[in-house]
Amino acid sequence: MLPQMFQITTLETKKHDETNLFGKFLLKPLPYGHGITIGNTLRRILLNDIYGTAITGVSIIGINSEFETIPGLREDVLEILLNLKQTILMSSTSQTCFAHLKIVGPRIITAKCINFPTGVEVLNPNLYIATLYSDRCIEMILKIEHGQGYKFYDQSLVNSKSPFLTVDGLFMPVRKVTYFINE
């Protein structure tokens, strides 16, 4: 008797919006007890071992600390950094590069307002960054790096002469994985 061939079947795919994609897959047949091993391994690989691109530093012209506020801007610097951290990027290069943002208000600032270098694409261009409610000009330089998983940046370990405020690197393109086993 020949063993059954292993199969991966796509059961369902959905696109909730530009960044939230859903997929449901069936892997069969598996020997008894292998489902949890394969499910946990795939989950760990998808969440931690895939390389991605993220904003890891932000230099805001005229600002030296993440605890400052910018006149004419609704959000404080810390809120802006947290919003920028949610930017989902795709890059054709693994080299560190820089993006630029220069806006004169009043205006709502979204990720599509950022001028990314060639080869870097923003996948959630409608991501809200901040609201500039006066005719003031705001200018930022964004440091973009390639990595894997989640990289925590401790501000105290960064060179104090660096113009960049650090942002935790959220490099993982896959944000959530769940698996179920049917016996």
Side-chain angles (χ1 to χ4, degrees), residues 142-159:
L142 310 170
K143 183 177 182 182
I144 300 168
E145 293 184 275
H146 190 72
Q148 71 184 115
Y150 184 87
K151 190 179 287 185
F152 175 74
Y153 284 99
D154 187 355
Q155 190 72 35
S156 64
L157 298 176
V158 177
N159 181 354

Side-chain angles (χ1 to χ4, degrees), residues 16-58:
H16 296 291
D17 58 45
E18 57 206 15
T19 59
N20 290 317
L21 307 172
F22 171 82
K24 187 174 185 180
F25 306 93
L26 174 66
L27 283 68
K28 69 175 188 176
L30 298 174
Y32 183 79
H34 287 202
I36 196 161
T37 302
I38 291 173
N40 194 43
T41 302
L42 281 173
R43 180 181 175 278
R44 291 180 69 144
I45 288 169
L46 290 170
L47 289 176
N48 197 45
D49 293 343
I50 299 176
Y51 282 85
T53 304
I55 296 171
T56 58
V58 179

Side-chain angles (χ1 to χ4, degrees), residues 43 46-48 50 171-177:
R43 180 181 175 278
L46 290 170
L47 289 176
N48 197 45
I50 299 176
F171 296 109
M172 47 200 189
V174 176
R175 304 285 169 96
K176 182 178 177 183
V177 177

